[in-house]
């Protein structure tokens, strides 16, 4: 078996994840641009542009509709996978190191570093399936 090379990032890759079906690969990197690839061929499908710092982590929802990304720019972003549209941005008190959807795709959690006088934080965001753009709110952890 020959490996498939994914060529497209300009800096170190920080995270690689398959979607639940195994047909898509998502990568995050220090070049600020999360990227989507076909798993079978390694062909680059598209990018998610909008972060201003290294992207440390990402996670697709179970149904491959949404993507959540965590960045050193102190933001979590929620994207529509198919169109690449940035749906929402969630500011954090420090660089965000980790994000993860729950199994149902109704919530995601983020973890940010201590920064200046702000302590490290874990935030849980809950969204309504019918209208995620207007009903996603942070919940105290």
């Amino acid at each position: 078996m020959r490996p498939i090379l994914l060529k497209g990032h300009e800096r170190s890759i920080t995270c690689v994840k398959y979607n639940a079906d195994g047909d898509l690969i998502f990568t995050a990197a220090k070049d600020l641009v999360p990227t989507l690839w076909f798993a079978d061929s390694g062909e680059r499908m598209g990018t998610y542009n909008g972060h201003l710092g290294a992207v440390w982590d990402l996670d697709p929802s179970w149904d491959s509709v949404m993507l959540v990304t965590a960045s050193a720019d102190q933001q979590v972003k929620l994207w529509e996978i198919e169109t690449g549209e940035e749906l929402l941005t969630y500011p954090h008190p420090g660089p965000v190191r980790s994000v993860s959807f729950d199994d149902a795709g109704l919530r995601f959690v983020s973890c940010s570093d201590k920064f200046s006088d702000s302590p490290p934080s874990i935030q849980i965001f809950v969204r309504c399936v019918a209208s995620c753009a207007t009903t996603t709110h942070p919940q105290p952890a």
Side-chain angles (χ1 to χ4, degrees), residues 27-78:
T27 57
K30 291 182 178 180
D31 64 7
L32 322 182
V33 185
T35 302
L36 173 60
W37 315 82
F38 280 117
D40 289 342
S41 65
E43 179 184 346
R44 187 178 189 164
M45 292 179 62
T47 59
Y48 301 90
N49 299 300
H51 278 294
L52 302 174
V55 180
W56 294 114
D57 196 17
L58 48 72
D59 196 34
S61 60
W62 70 273
D63 55 2
S64 298
V65 172
M66 303 285 179
L67 177 71
V68 64
T69 56
S71 175
D73 65 6
Q74 301 181 6
Q75 297 179 353
V76 166
K77 291 186 181 284
L78 184 66

Side-chain angles (χ1 to χ4, degrees), residues 75-103:
Q75 297 179 353
V76 166
K77 291 186 181 284
L78 184 66
W79 311 85
E80 186 175 27
I81 288 176
E82 186 174 345
T83 65
E85 179 184 354
E86 180 184 321
L87 300 174
L88 292 165
T89 298
Y90 304 93
H92 282 60
V96 188
R97 292 291 182 163
S98 181
V99 289
S100 182
F101 270 108
D102 69 1
D103 289 342

